């Protein structure tokens, strides 16, 4: 079997010779495939050298990009819808605005309908005739199987639908709400404290002999929310959109979300532990989102 993988690795050299440019993604992905075959062939040292070249090419490879946007007429219609809908929402008191986005299921994407639309879309396309590769945030690639192509289409369909139904409206209301004074950090804090479980104090084990009885998730979320609003208000008032300014808030709130979800499941009587390879460990974020308690509450 090792000999077969060794031959497959050598076969990749033919493709590499046909694509000599360091900017060519075919060369980049082929070298990655070669490294994989060398590892399977047991040639670990040689695979390591190939992976060094693979990582060098991460800095030089160029991927083509196709952009698509609504036409002028469609854009005007969409903006008219956003203006009309956001005005209705912003006429509500602050509590009503926040409640609208907290409990209104009409702006959410129906997962069953989304999956059906995605499967219909991929059946009508010609993507099944070609190989499909995806790249992660670290520029590592993966060749998708047919089932994974469907999963990718489902995610892509969801992203588009969510952008149209929810996120565009939310951003419009958020920006206009800040400009009109309807939304600010203190009003958000008060709403979360009064109307959500984030303000509930509960016992939290700190060490073997110390228990914090005064903490709530709101006290831990507050610094991230405050920084988010400070940066958002700055970007609106100064008409800037520097993504780097939001890194601190996003890092803080993202990490807190996993912990809050974990405690939410526990407070709801659920379980957040799992057994892996004979060891009991805490569920990761993906498992927490798929937790039976989370699913039951969200349905």
């Amino acid at each position: 079997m090792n000999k077969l993988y060794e031959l497959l690795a050598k076969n990749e050299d033919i493709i590499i010779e046909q694509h000599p440019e360091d900017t060519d993604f075919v060369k980049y992905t082929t070298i990655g495939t070669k490294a994989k075959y060398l590892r399977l062939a047991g040639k670990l040292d040689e695979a390591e050298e190939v992976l060094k070249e693979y990582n060098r090419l991460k800095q030089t490879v160029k991927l083509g990009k196709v952009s698509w946007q609504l036409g002028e007429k469609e854009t005007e219609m969409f903006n008219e819808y956003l203006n009309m809908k956001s005005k209705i929402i912003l006429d509500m008191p602050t509590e009503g605005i926040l409640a609208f986005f907290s409990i209104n299921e009409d702006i959410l994407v129906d997962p069953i309908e989304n999956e059906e639309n995605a499967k219909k879309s991929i059946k009508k396309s010609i993507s099944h005739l070609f190989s499909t590769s995806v790249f992660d945030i670290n520029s590592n690639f993966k060749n998708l199987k047919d089932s994974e192509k469907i999963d990718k289409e489902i995610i892509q369909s969801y992203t588009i639908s969510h952008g149209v139904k929810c996120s565009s409206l939310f951003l419009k209301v958020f920006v206009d709400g800040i400009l009109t004074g309807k939304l600010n950090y203190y009003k958000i804090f008060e709403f979360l404290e009064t109307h959500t479980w984030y303000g509930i104090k509960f016992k939290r084990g700190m060490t073997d002999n110390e228990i914090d009885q005064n903490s709530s998730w709101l006290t831990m979320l507050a610094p991230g929310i405050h920084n988010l609003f400070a940066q958002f208000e700055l970007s609106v008032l100064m008409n800037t959109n520097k993504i780097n300014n939001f890194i601190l808030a996003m890092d803080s709130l993202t990490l807190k979300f996993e912990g809050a979800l974990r405690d939410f499941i526990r407070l709801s009587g659920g379980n957040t532990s799992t057994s892996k390879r004979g060891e009991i460990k805490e569920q990761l974020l993906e498992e927490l989102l798929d937790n039976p308690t989370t699913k039951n509450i969200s349905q």
Side-chain angles (χ1 to χ4, degrees):
M1 200 66 177
N2 286 358
K3 188 66 176 176
L4 173 61
Y5 286 124
E6 188 175 345
L7 290 173
L8 288 171
K10 288 182 178 180
N11 186 63
E12 298 300 307
D13 289 333
I14 299 173
I15 303 175
I16 294 171
E17 290 175 2
Q18 296 172 346
H19 297 269
E21 298 295 329
D22 286 353
T23 57
D24 193 334
F25 86 96
V26 175
K27 177 180 181 179
Y28 171 63
T29 56
T30 302
I31 286 178
T33 303
K34 179 181 178 180
K36 180 182 70 173
Y37 286 143
L38 287 171
R39 279 189 174 277
L40 291 171
K43 295 183 173 292
L44 302 184
D45 291 339
E46 192 174 341
E48 188 66 23
E49 291 301 314
V50 174
L51 284 173
K52 289 179 181 179
E53 174 66 4
Y54 172 80
N55 277 275
R56 184 188 71 81
L57 290 175
K58 283 184 180 183
Q59 312 304 318
T60 62
V61 66
K62 292 183 179 180
L63 299 176
K65 183 170 66 173
V66 177
S67 298
W68 182 87
Q69 58 185 3
L70 290 174
E72 185 176 340
K73 181 180 178 181
E74 290 78 10
T75 300
E76 184 179 349
M77 291 174 61
F78 186 57
N79 286 334
E80 287 178 357
Y81 160 76
L82 288 180
N83 290 331
M84 177 193 68
K85 191 75 173 178
S86 62
K87 185 180 184 304
I88 295 173
I89 297 171
L90 287 168
D91 283 341
M92 303 177 184
T94 300
E95 288 185 356
I97 295 172
L98 298 175
F100 176 85
F101 287 104
S102 298
I103 62 177
N104 187 0
E105 296 186 0
D106 291 339
I107 61 174
L108 300 180
V109 180
D110 186 294
I112 297 176
E113 182 181 342
N114 179 69
E115 183 174 341
E116 291 175 350
N117 290 337
K119 289 180 177 179
K120 289 178 183 177
S121 176
I122 204 167
K123 282 182 180 180
K124 294 178 181 179
S125 73
I126 59 173
S127 61
H128 61 280
L129 300 176
F130 305 96
S131 62
T132 302
S133 298
V134 294
F135 294 79
D136 65 17
I137 194 171
N138 295 310
S139 298
N140 294 307
F141 77 97
K142 177 183 180 181
N143 295 321
L144 298 183
K145 302 174 183 176
D146 287 342
S147 60
E148 291 173 323
K149 289 182 183 180
I150 294 175
D151 292 339
K152 176 178 176 294
E153 187 69 23
I154 291 173
I155 294 172
Q156 184 171 295
S157 176
Y158 175 86
T159 302
I160 294 172
S161 299
H162 179 70
V164 172
K165 296 185 67 176
C166 184
S167 63
S168 295
L169 180 62
F170 177 79
L171 287 174
K172 173 69 175 172
V173 171
F174 205 51
V175 171
D176 290 353
I178 289 174
L179 291 173
T180 58
K182 278 291 188 76
L183 298 175
N184 58 44
Y185 162 74
Y186 301 101
K187 291 180 178 179
I188 298 291
F189 186 96
E190 183 181 1
F191 176 83
L192 294 175
E193 185 178 40
T194 306
H195 298 285
T196 73
W197 72 276
Y198 291 120
I200 298 175
K201 294 181 179 180
F202 55 92
K203 293 182 179 180
R204 176 185 299 278
M206 305 293 285
T207 62
D208 288 341
N209 56 2
E210 182 182 356
I211 296 178
D212 178 7
Q213 301 189 50
N214 295 312
S215 68
S216 70
W217 269 106
L218 188 54
T219 59
M220 290 181 276
L221 290 168
I225 297 173
H226 186 275
N227 185 264
L228 175 65
F229 262 86
Q231 295 299 335
F232 205 96
E233 289 172 359
L234 181 65
S235 69
V236 171
L237 296 174
M238 301 298 293
N239 195 27
T240 61
N241 188 26
K242 295 181 179 179
I243 301 300
N244 290 346
N245 292 347
F246 294 92
I247 290 177
L248 180 62
M250 288 297 98
D251 283 352
S252 174
L253 293 174
T254 301
L255 292 173
K256 298 294 192 304
F257 174 75
E258 180 175 345
L261 179 57
R262 195 182 305 281
D263 275 349
F264 177 77
I265 293 172
R266 290 170 179 165
L267 291 171
S268 299
N271 165 53
T272 62
S273 299
T274 185
S275 178
K276 294 181 179 179
R277 298 176 182 176
E279 296 182 21
I280 297 179
K281 297 182 178 181
E282 283 297 290
Q283 294 178 356
L284 301 177
L285 178 57
E286 184 176 348
E287 295 169 309
L288 292 173
L289 291 171
D290 201 41
N291 189 288
T293 301
T294 307
K295 285 185 172 181
N296 290 337
I297 295 296
S298 61
Q299 287 177 352

